[in-house]
Amino acid sequence: MGIYTEGLYKMYGAHWQETLFYTHFLALPMFLVFSPALVADLKVLWNSEVYYGVPRSLAFLGLNAVTQVVCASGVNRLAGVASSLTVAVILLTRKFASLAISAYIYGSSFSRQGMVGSLLIVLSTVYYTVASMKAKPQSKQKSD
């Protein structure tokens, strides 16, 4: 998806709002295939426990939708100013941070394999950041 977005921005300009709209709007017809299951799930959500006049599960679904809109908007904005590799590294780091926070909150621990993976993510992110910072001044010196 990142490479697709990067190609769109190179071809048509970094119009992140338009890209966000079309990449999500054009996917909506695919949900028609799942409409019976979606309707059944919405009925279950509608019949969930009610808080302040709103079914609790629908409130959670709405909150999740809002956070997804904020996240997707941020990723598309970032894709307009950074390479797809940079976006992928940032998203991987965000996912790792979310996993670490969840593990802390719920009292889980990482396995040995999880610790090695976490260490690789942190070291790779630091290496990419340092390498990116070193590459920028060199390109400016060549143009002078």
Side-chain angles (χ1 to χ4, degrees), residues 2-3 6 82-91 128 132:
I3 293 171
E6 187 174 351
S83 71
S84 59
L85 178 60
T86 300
V87 173
V89 169
I90 290 171
L91 291 178
Y128 180 76
S132 296

Side-chain angles (χ1 to χ4, degrees), residues 93-133:
T93 305
R94 184 201 59 80
K95 289 174 188 175
F96 167 71
S98 177
L99 177 67
I101 291 168
S102 294
Y104 176 75
I105 288 173
Y106 296 110
S108 300
S109 60
F110 286 114
S111 64
R112 185 173 294 151
Q113 197 175 20
M115 291 289 227
V116 170
S118 299
L119 182 64
L120 286 173
I121 289 171
V122 170
L123 292 176
S124 299
T125 302
V126 170
Y127 178 76
Y128 180 76
T129 304
V130 170
S132 296
M133 291 171 63

Side-chain angles (χ1 to χ4, degrees), residues 6-115:
E6 187 174 351
L8 285 176
Y9 287 168
K10 282 181 183 175
M11 193 178 304
Y12 301 109
H15 307 288
W16 69 269
Q17 292 158 321
E18 187 175 355
T19 304
L20 180 65
F21 172 76
Y22 281 114
T23 55
H24 287 77
F25 180 75
L26 294 175
L28 288 177
M30 294 172 35
F31 285 97
L32 291 174
V33 175
F34 302 106
S35 60
L38 292 172
V39 169
D41 289 342
L42 281 174
K43 286 179 183 176
V44 170
L45 294 175
W46 185 260
N47 293 323
S48 67
E49 206 172 345
V50 176
Y51 286 106
Y52 301 107
V54 178
R56 182 177 180 195
S57 296
L58 280 180
F60 286 150
L61 180 63
L63 181 63
N64 187 318
V66 168
T67 60
Q68 292 297 318
V69 167
V70 170
C71 183
S73 298
V75 168
N76 277 276
R77 281 184 196 171
L78 180 62
V81 296
S83 71
S84 59
L85 178 60
T86 300
V87 173
V89 169
I90 290 171
L91 291 178
L92 179 65
T93 305
R94 184 201 59 80
K95 289 174 188 175
F96 167 71
S98 177
L99 177 67
I101 291 168
S102 294
Y104 176 75
I105 288 173
Y106 296 110
S108 300
S109 60
F110 286 114
S111 64
R112 185 173 294 151
Q113 197 175 20
M115 291 289 227

